[in-house]
């Protein structure tokens, strides 16, 4: 059974940093593109970033370019999202998802709240 | 403001069919066959219902179907059931700027 378990969310002040992690199991992690998708206020979905199987390609939504970095460790079956210079508008539930263009498997999400 | 346009809400009675449109541009919906649809119940993660415009993942009911005409994709649900009441989101690959874009979501109410 495919499982994606996010962690690392929490409350952070504007300008702060967080690192989200996603532990993957039940499939050959190194064979799949992986992505982060966020959901704002329980409604609007927004694709954040994705990374190729071997990490040779990475893409980001314009609003996080230069602030967020997606990475992966295939030996540890883990996906990461390093978030710097956080803003109030980054407040959302962040989902780890398998794939690059459509997402069958989703984690439960981790809540990031950016507030002073 | 979402990149793809969906109606905020649609409704239908049990047994009826409804269609949810998703309008984009030639840079996304109109230019590529990478449109997906997701169903989301309250407190749950989204569930993939349709991908590549018309394909259904294993286990998704045949009552759900997708189509596209020009810059507008559509999700049709036939034989509406109470369990279909949920939020529905479309998404598409986009060739300019952001790689993937979502619609703002449509709340389906089964009357």
């Amino acid at each position: 059974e495919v499982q994606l378990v996010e962690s690392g969310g929490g409350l952070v002040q504007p300008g702060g940093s967080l690192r989200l992690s996603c532990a993957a199991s039940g499939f050959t992690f190194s064979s799949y593109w992986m992505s982060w998708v966020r959901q704002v206020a329980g409604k609007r979905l927004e694709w954040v970033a994705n990374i190729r199987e071997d990490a040779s390609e990475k893409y980001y939504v314009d609003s996080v370019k230069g602030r967020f970095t997606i990475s992966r460790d295939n030996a540890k079956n883990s996906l990461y999202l390093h978030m710097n210079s956080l803003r109030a508008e980054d407040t959302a539930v962040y989902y780890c998802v398998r794939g690059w263009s459509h997402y069958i498997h989703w984690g439960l999400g981790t809540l990031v709240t950016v507030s002073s | 403001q979402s990149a793809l346009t969906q109606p905020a809400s649609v409704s239908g009675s049990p047994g009826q069919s409804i269609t949810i449109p998703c309008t984009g541009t030639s840079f996304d919906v109109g230019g590529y066959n990478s449109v997906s649809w997701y169903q989301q119940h309250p407190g749950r993660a989204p569930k993939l219902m349709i991908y590549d415009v018309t394909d259904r993942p294993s286990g998704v009911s045949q009552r759900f179907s997708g189509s596209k005409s020009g810059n507008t994709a559509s999700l049709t649900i036939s034989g509406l059931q109470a369990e279909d009441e949920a939020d529905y989101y479309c998404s598409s690959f986009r060739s300019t700027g952001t790689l993937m874009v979502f619609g703002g979501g449509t709340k389906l109410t089964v009357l």
Side-chain angles (χ1 to χ4, degrees), chain B residues 2-110:
Chain B
S2 300
L4 305 179
T5 301
Q6 299 179 233
S9 63
V10 298
S11 63
S13 299
Q16 287 186 332
S17 294
I18 63 96
T19 296
I20 302 173
C22 168
T23 302
T25 70
S26 59
F27 296 107
D28 39 65
V29 173
Y32 303 90
N33 289 326
S34 291
V35 176
S36 301
W37 289 92
Y38 298 87
Q39 175 193 66
Q40 187 177 32
H41 289 107
R44 304 289 298 273
K47 175 185 177 183
L48 180 68
M49 306 302 285
I50 297 287
Y51 66 98
D52 293 348
V53 180
T54 60
D55 294 345
R56 268 187 312 275
S58 174
V60 171
S61 171
Q62 291 183 337
R63 298 186 299 106
F64 291 82
S65 63
S67 62
K68 189 180 80 167
S69 177
N71 293 337
T72 298
S74 298
L75 173 70
T76 298
I77 308 174
S78 59
L80 268 181
Q81 300 179 0
E83 68 212 46
D84 299 332
E85 186 164 291
D87 292 327
Y88 291 85
Y89 297 88
C90 60
S91 74
S92 173
F93 170 80
R94 179 176 251 201
S95 60
T96 61
T98 298
L99 195 66
M100 296 296 299
V101 290
F102 282 90
T106 298
K107 181 175 180 57
L108 169 62
T109 300
V110 180

Side-chain angles (χ1 to χ4, degrees), chain A residues 40-61:
Chain A
V40 179
K43 191 67 177 179
R44 183 172 62 88
L45 288 169
E46 182 178 46
W47 170 81
V48 176
N50 62 12
I51 184 169
R52 195 183 178 94
E53 297 94 333
D54 61 359
S56 60
E57 295 180 51
K58 304 175 185 181
Y59 301 95
Y60 301 90
V61 66

Side-chain angles (χ1 to χ4, degrees), chain A residues 18 31 45 50-51 56-57 70 78 80 83 95 102 108 110:
Chain A
L18 275 178
S31 296
L45 288 169
N50 62 12
I51 184 169
S56 60
E57 295 180 51
I70 190 171
S78 294
Y80 306 101
M83 305 186 295
Y95 291 100
H102 58 270
L108 294 179
T110 187

